[in-house]
């Protein structure tokens, strides 16, 4: 998968794995990584599905309606890519914290929904429920930060609560940070994510 890797100054700090939103690239969230954990190494990945020329991490049939078969396929592909990237770049595979926005938060959520050991933690910014009707793996004590907007028309507050409940029931330590706005990424949620990261993972 197309990606960039930047070596951080602290080899023990979690490696941030960045997943952009629809139409983004691996460059988009680099400033966020710097704000959230400046000493961390960063692996930033470009989604390898194109929708009208816009990169995404999996196909969708319409806004908010996912192509489940493709989502499963892409989740496995990504899991295997993380294994391979760890070997190639010499980082600890068990020390990955995802930072994803929108479609990127959904693929990171899907990694959590399918594997007990894909991620050490996750920062999901405006995520949806990636799949319903499946048993989640054991996520005991996996720290998860969810950034959500009370007026988000794409990721409704009800869906945020549903996601929080599904992850918590699987054992994850979920913290939801609410913003008053919509689907946009805000500076205050990034600051909140950075504080959460210090408290939960360093
Ligand atoms: C998006 O546009 O990225 C959607 O809101 C989320 C998704 O399709 O995964």
């Amino acid at each position: 998968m197309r990606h960039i890797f930047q070596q951080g100054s602290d080899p023990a700090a979690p490696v941030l794995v960045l997943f952009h939103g629809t139409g983004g690239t691996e460059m988009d969230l680099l400033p966020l990584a710097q704000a959230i954990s400046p000493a961390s190494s960063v692996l930033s990945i470009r989604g390898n599905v194109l929708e009208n020329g816009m990169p995404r991490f999996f196909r969708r049939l319409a806004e908010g309606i996912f192509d489940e078969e493709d989502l499963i396929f892409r989740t496995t592909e990504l899991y295997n890519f993380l294994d391979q990237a760890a070997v190639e770049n010499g980082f600890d595979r068990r020390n990955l914290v995802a930072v994803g926005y929108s479609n990127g938060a959904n693929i990171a959520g899907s990694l959590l929904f399918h594997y007990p050991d894909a991620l050490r933690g996750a920062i999901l910014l405006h995520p949806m429920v990636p799949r319903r009707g499946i048993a989640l793996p054991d996520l005991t004590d996996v720290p998860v930060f969810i950034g959500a907007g009370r007026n988000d028309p794409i990721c409704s507050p009800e869906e945020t609560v549903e996601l929080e409940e599904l992850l918590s029931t699987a054992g994850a330590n979920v913290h939801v940070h609410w913003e008053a706005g919509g689907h946009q990424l805000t500076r205050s949620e990034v600051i909140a994510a950075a504080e959460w990261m210090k408290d939960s993972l360093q």
Side-chain angles (χ1 to χ4, degrees), residues 50-70:
L50 282 179
E51 180 187 275
N52 301 321
M54 297 184 298
R56 286 177 54 86
F57 287 93
F58 57 89
R59 288 184 216 290
R60 62 180 165 181
L61 306 174
E63 174 69 60
I65 304 176
F66 301 155
D67 177 334
E68 198 161 301
E69 199 182 314
D70 191 59

Side-chain angles (χ1 to χ4, degrees), residues 63 66 101-103 105-106 125-129 147-160 178 181-183:
E63 174 69 60
F66 301 155
Y101 169 62
S102 191
N103 179 247
N106 294 338
L125 304 168
H126 302 267
M128 298 165 71
V129 173
R150 291 208 186 273
N151 291 295
D152 190 331
I154 296 171
C155 311
S156 69
E158 293 75 22
E159 187 156 350
T160 301
W178 289 100
H183 196 58

Side-chain angles (χ1 to χ4, degrees), residues 131-167:
R131 280 188 75 191
R132 292 186 169 82
I134 59 165
L136 268 62
D138 180 3
L139 297 174
T140 300
D141 294 335
V142 175
V144 180
F145 175 99
I146 296 178
R150 291 208 186 273
N151 291 295
D152 190 331
I154 296 171
C155 311
S156 69
E158 293 75 22
E159 187 156 350
T160 301
V161 171
E162 185 186 351
L163 180 62
E164 175 188 17
E165 284 172 3
L166 288 168
L167 290 168

Side-chain angles (χ1 to χ4, degrees), residues 10-30:
D10 180 0
V15 176
L16 298 184
V17 190
L18 310 183
F19 302 103
H20 61 78
T22 298
T25 74
E26 65 278 22
M27 304 306 288
D28 291 10
L29 301 188
L30 292 175

Side-chain angles (χ1 to χ4, degrees), residues 87-146:
V87 174
E88 279 170 11
N89 297 289
F91 60 76
D92 180 358
R93 173 68 186 84
R94 292 157 305 163
N95 200 16
L96 304 186
V97 173
V99 180
Y101 169 62
S102 191
N103 179 247
N106 294 338
I107 194 76
S110 183
L111 282 171
L112 292 172
F113 269 48
H114 290 97
Y115 297 99
D117 59 352
L119 299 168
R120 182 177 159 207
I123 295 175
L124 308 178
L125 304 168
H126 302 267
M128 298 165 71
V129 173
R131 280 188 75 191
R132 292 186 169 82
I134 59 165
L136 268 62
D138 180 3
L139 297 174
T140 300
D141 294 335
V142 175
V144 180
F145 175 99
I146 296 178

Side-chain angles (χ1 to χ4, degrees), residues 3 34 45 49 64 75 79 90 93 101 106-108 118 142 168 176 185:
H3 66 282
Q34 187 61 29
I45 304 172
V49 164
T75 303
Y79 182 87
R93 173 68 186 84
Y101 169 62
N106 294 338
I107 194 76
V142 175
S168 299
V176 181
L185 199 52

